[in-house]
Amino acid sequence: MSSLQALCSGLPLRPLPENRGRQAGVPHAPVRTPGLSLAEKQLALRNALRYFPADVQELLAPEFAQELQLYGHIYMYRFCPDIEMRAYPVEQYPCQTKAAAAIMHMIMNNLDPAVAQFPQELVTYGGNGQVFSNWAQFWLTMFYLSKMTEEQTLVMYSGHPLGLFPSSRSAPRLVITNGMVIPNYSSRMEYEKLFALGVTMYGQMTAGSYCYIGPQGIVHGTVLTVLNAARRYLGIEDLAGKVFVTSGLGGMSGAQAKAAVIVGCIGVIAEVDKAALEKRHKQGWLMEVTDSLDRCIQRLREARKRKEVLSLGYHGNVVALWERLVHELDTTGECLVDLGSDQTSCHNPFNGGYYPVQLSFTEAQSLMASNPAVFKDLVQESLRRQVSAINRLAKEKFFFWDYGNAFLLEAQRAGADVEKKGAGRTEFRYPSYVQHIMGDIFSQGFGPFRWVCTSGDPQDLAVTDELATSVLEEAIANGVKASVKLQYMDNIHWIREAARHRLVVGSQARILYSDQKGRVAIAVAINQAIACRRIKAPVVLSRDHHDVSGTDSPFRETSNIYDGSAFCADMAVQNFVGDACRGATWVALHNGGGVGWGEVINGGFGLVLDGTPEAEQRARLMLSWDVSNGVARRCWSGNQKAYEIICQTMQENSSLVVTLPHEVEDERVLQQALQL
């Protein structure tokens, strides 16, 4: 078993570690089919061997070539570390700076088998959300971090550690870019080749920025989404006896079962991968499982009648579940579902993100590798069938929304009936959850703010929970608008439920939705608690990239931007640059994430609080920009709530100067001008 000291000493070359290959008993990424020419295969091999001196290249070349042939990518399984991969307490890492040790803590959490979807392939979630492209990059990154000083910055090119470069103490210690492919070449076909060559990678959002905190983050987002969906679509606060049907129990989607229990409804979640389903059941996040549609419908009926709180995992294809619900409606007149969505990795539908109903899971994996064209046809037929079933149910009092996984976008490309007549390019027959449910929340500056206690001590997390709750309660006591109070109250309830439901998987982390004031106040309170040793070690602040200003995504985060700029990525890029120059410890910018390669640009950050006055100042500056950038953009797109927030912020902070937009009050001005 390796030690952390050995892990930070550079690539293990003399002797080379034993090549144990793929580990049995753990999930593995689907086989990729990049379709490389012989020349491209040679280039991929050459690129992989660059990490190794000439005296070991002859030994490594054949096994790397075999990996490329068998799996469509060179992961370098020989160099998968022989150590328990987890977020060790921060003081155990051999580093010269607290920031570097905190980054190591976050990287190893992303690759913890309890957290990561395909740990040996360095995939954290989403089917292809990479932390690194191969294991050589992991070893070199850990080596660089162990050597880093406060006057150096580590630069990461799509998983490749370019090196340590001189910089100032106020500069980020780490700058990450993933998938920054020239726009004309940012296609799925080109991606598969470029990833196989080892020159780019899909960092998803928090995978490639080392900020994933396990499924707790999406549990929280799903809790808020379902709560607000019930308010909007059903006009209720109490979801007892209401049924939410969806799919996916993987790295992100696995949160849906726990979220259903927290909001008090009946959640039925379909999953084709038995390993993923069993993982959530053993975790306690799924209360019951069945592979029988008859049993699934029977339990659903029983739970509705008794108003039970239930999370039920159906081991099977979600298309079959939707079609069975239609059958029940047509034969009994009873609509058994109230709310529905989908959280398959539909951004990656033809390489393991979505499985066709016509085949078993094993058959589908085989066909995916042997005949991608036929597999694609079956996937698109399944998408059409799924939409057809949803459309039938939607004629009743049933409400469906797109969960930002590119489901409706891919359904449209498959020829499914998702058109909304007279709509713009970002609108479909069913709304994105941003458009109808979360959009106004973002416009008010609320989004997924999170932190990690690097001591690894649950008691530190309990202290931060107490501090965050106190901050929000104090804000309410001092008086806030009703809409803001509702969000604060939801999140106070969440914090209390999160502790009770034991949502920590991996690092000692917490998430809540907060606005700019709340984020800054919580950060200051935590930093002060570190200074007085009430919290024993530094705390890393971060957020999901899926936030107020982190992501430009026309079919998700910015799908409610109607001024024509939904397809522009200025906000995410400015977020990345602005956070870097206002004190972030590290920053990340990605192509792809959530809705797919070439469909989105997103930025993220990490900020280490160490109890110093400098850390507090960084938090005040950076967190303010991280929120106000997105609120201001939404203000200029015509959002009234964002307009009000910016006006209020300008009154409170004289350093903020924004020219506010003027609306065209008389439509005749436009009509008469165009008649010319």
Side-chain angles (χ1 to χ4, degrees):
M1 181 71 74
S2 298
S3 65
L4 288 176
Q5 286 70 26
L7 211 59
C8 296
S9 60
L11 273 166
L13 298 173
R14 295 173 182 85
L16 287 169
E18 177 189 358
N19 184 15
R20 301 184 303 276
R22 277 195 170 198
Q23 182 182 341
V26 299
H28 289 286
V31 173
R32 312 188 76 92
T33 53
L36 300 183
S37 67
L38 178 59
E40 288 167 334
K41 289 176 182 177
Q42 290 175 339
L43 182 56
L45 198 54
R46 185 187 301 276
N47 289 344
L49 291 171
R50 288 183 299 184
Y51 292 100
F52 303 94
D55 64 322
V56 298
Q57 289 181 359
E58 187 174 355
L59 173 66
L60 295 177
E63 68 185 56
F64 288 175
Q66 185 179 41
E67 286 185 18
L68 185 62
Q69 182 68 26
L70 292 176
Y71 311 121
H73 187 74
I74 301 171
Y75 296 105
M76 306 182 185
Y77 290 113
R78 177 189 287 268
F79 295 94
C80 185
D82 182 23
I83 189 173
E84 182 186 358
M85 194 69 72
R86 61 182 177 86
Y88 290 86
V90 71
E91 71 274 4
Q92 295 184 20
Y93 296 97
C95 292
Q96 298 188 49
T97 73
K98 293 178 182 178
I103 294 167
M104 285 182 169
H105 181 91
M106 302 292 281
I107 287 173
M108 293 192 70
N109 184 68
N110 266 27
L111 294 169
D112 181 341
V115 174
Q117 185 180 14
F118 305 126
Q120 274 207 298
E121 288 76 41
L122 304 110
V123 172
T124 300
Y125 64 86
N128 60 350
Q130 304 285 147
V131 186
F132 301 100
S133 180
N134 59 57
W135 283 107
Q137 295 173 347
F138 167 83
W139 283 91
L140 287 175
T141 299
M142 297 295 279
F143 170 74
Y144 283 134
L145 288 170
S146 71
K147 302 299 181 187
M148 176 191 287
T149 72
E150 290 286 357
E151 294 183 341
Q152 290 175 312
T153 293
L154 175 59
V155 177
M156 302 294 299
Y157 277 17
S158 290
H160 170 68
L162 195 66
L164 292 170
F165 294 84
S167 62
S168 69
R169 296 179 67 87
S170 61
R173 299 279 69 80
L174 173 66
V175 176
I176 303 166
T177 53
N178 284 311
M180 291 292 106
V181 174
I182 304 301
N184 271 359
Y185 306 94
S186 189
S187 67
R188 281 181 180 156
M189 184 178 298
E190 288 290 343
Y191 169 73
E192 290 298 333
K193 287 194 174 186
L194 292 171
F195 180 62
L197 291 175
V199 295
T200 197
M201 76 176 200
Y202 193 90
Q204 269 278 359
M205 291 184 154
T206 52
S209 61
Y210 319 146
C211 291
Y212 188 57
I213 61 167
Q216 179 187 168
I218 191 64
V219 172
H220 179 246
T222 307
V223 164
L224 291 186
T225 301
V226 176
L227 275 177
N228 285 287
R231 289 166 179 160
R232 179 182 180 98
Y233 299 133
L234 305 178
I236 59 173
E237 293 282 341
D238 182 2
L239 281 94
K242 300 301 179 183
V243 178
F244 172 50
V245 171
T246 182
S247 58
L249 287 167
M252 294 291 278
S253 55
Q256 297 179 107
K258 178 60 79 173
V261 172
I262 292 174
V263 301
C265 72
I266 301 156
V268 183
I269 306 97
E271 171 59 62
V272 294
D273 184 352
K274 190 173 183 179
L277 184 140
E278 288 180 343
K279 180 177 181 179
R280 297 306 174 202
H281 191 220
K282 289 176 182 176
Q283 214 172 31
W285 288 31
L286 263 179
M287 295 166 65
E288 298 178 21
V289 297
T290 181
D291 59 3
S292 165
L293 269 177
D294 289 341
R295 175 60 180 163
C296 186
I297 296 301
Q298 179 189 358
R299 277 299 285 129
L300 178 52
R301 278 202 163 95
E302 290 171 357
R304 286 184 83 222
K305 185 176 180 180
R306 299 171 186 167
K307 294 192 174 181
E308 288 182 56
V309 174
L310 174 66
S311 57
L312 175 62
Y314 167 58
H315 180 217
N317 197 291
V318 72
V319 179
L321 177 57
W322 285 119
E323 290 180 341
R324 178 59 181 269
L325 290 167
V326 170
H327 173 76
E328 294 298 319
L329 173 62
D330 289 342
T331 56
T332 70
E334 185 179 16
C335 185
L336 297 175
V337 56
D338 302 284
L339 299 170
S341 192
D342 185 280
Q343 272 201 40
T344 53
S345 296
C346 223
H347 68 278
N348 183 35
F350 311 124
N351 197 32
Y354 185 96
Y355 283 83
V357 68
Q358 304 92 331
L359 302 174
S360 71
F361 181 59
T362 304
E363 290 169 340
Q365 287 191 310
S366 176
L367 184 65
M368 188 194 312
S370 65
N371 197 331
V374 172
F375 181 81
K376 178 179 179 179
D377 288 343
L378 292 178
V379 164
Q380 293 191 320
E381 181 188 332
S382 278
L383 284 166
R384 292 192 294 271
R385 284 174 58 176
Q386 182 169 343
V387 168
S388 178
I390 290 167
N391 288 349
R392 171 66 186 94
L393 292 164
K395 293 178 181 178
E396 310 300 319
K397 194 178 180 184
F398 159 71
F399 301 91
F400 183 88
W401 67 88
D402 184 289
Y403 218 134
N405 62 339
F407 172 73
L408 290 180
L409 180 62
E410 288 302 328
Q412 180 191 55
R413 289 168 175 167
D417 182 11
V418 294
E419 181 186 357
K420 180 181 179 181
K421 292 181 180 178
R425 292 169 66 191
T426 64
E427 294 180 277
F428 298 100
R429 181 172 186 157
Y430 304 103
S432 157
Y433 75 124
V434 172
Q435 289 168 326
H436 270 195
I437 303 171
M438 304 302 285
D440 280 349
I441 295 174
F442 280 176
S443 296
Q444 294 179 88
F446 281 88
F449 179 57
R450 50 174 66 158
W451 59 88
V452 175
C453 298
T454 64
S455 66
D457 187 343
Q459 182 55 39
D460 276 358
L461 184 61
V463 172
T464 63
D465 283 350
E466 179 186 335
L467 291 171
T469 302
S470 297
V471 164
L472 300 185
E473 288 176 337
E474 183 178 348
I476 292 171
N478 290 336
V480 292
K481 293 192 303 181
S483 58
V484 172
K485 180 179 178 180
L486 178 64
Q487 296 306 317
Y488 280 163
M489 291 299 293
D490 281 349
N491 282 281
I492 290 169
H493 174 72
W494 156 260
I495 287 282
R496 291 171 178 155
E497 288 293 301
R500 186 169 71 84
H501 283 274
R502 300 180 182 178
L503 291 171
V504 168
V505 178
S507 59
Q508 293 294 318
R510 187 67 75 222
I511 182 172
L512 55 74
Y513 268 48
S514 185
D515 58 357
Q516 180 177 322
K517 284 185 179 179
R519 296 186 206 203
V520 172
I522 290 170
V524 170
I526 290 174
N527 195 60
Q528 291 173 352
I530 297 169
C532 69
R533 300 296 297 167
R534 190 178 171 198
I535 296 174
K536 293 179 283 297
V539 170
V540 174
L541 300 183
S542 185
R543 57 160 168 75
D544 197 331
H545 297 216
H546 167 62
D547 195 15
V548 180
S549 75
T551 300
D552 285 297
S553 176
F555 297 102
R556 193 163 81 175
E557 284 81 2
T558 47
S559 60
N560 63 339
I561 298 289
Y562 299 116
D563 66 350
S565 68
F567 293 87
C568 302
D570 301 80
M571 181 177 72
V573 176
Q574 289 285 0
N575 177 271
F576 164 80
V577 175
D579 284 356
C581 66
R582 288 174 176 83
T585 308
W586 74 93
V587 289
L589 186 68
H590 307 322
N591 170 16
V595 296
W597 186 258
E599 303 284 359
V600 52
I601 298 294
N602 65 85
F605 77 86
L607 175 63
V608 177
L609 298 178
D610 59 9
T612 61
E614 292 79 12
E616 179 176 322
Q617 176 66 5
R618 287 172 179 240
R620 290 183 183 277
L621 284 173
M622 200 223 74
L623 292 174
S624 296
W625 164 252
D626 196 64
V627 176
S628 62
N629 170 40
V631 175
R633 191 265 180 95
R634 286 170 168 77
C635 167
W636 267 89
S637 75
N639 187 286
Q640 183 60 35
K641 290 191 175 181
Y643 182 95
E644 293 169 2
I645 293 294
I646 281 292
C647 289
Q648 180 181 343
T649 307
M650 288 173 66
Q651 291 174 356
E652 296 169 350
N653 186 347
S654 59
S655 296
L656 174 64
V657 181
V658 176
T659 302
L660 297 172
H662 299 284
E663 287 295 310
V664 175
E665 296 180 1
D666 189 345
E667 289 293 319
R668 290 177 299 176
V669 172
L670 305 178
Q671 295 165 3
Q672 291 171 2
L674 291 172
Q675 286 174 358
L676 295 177

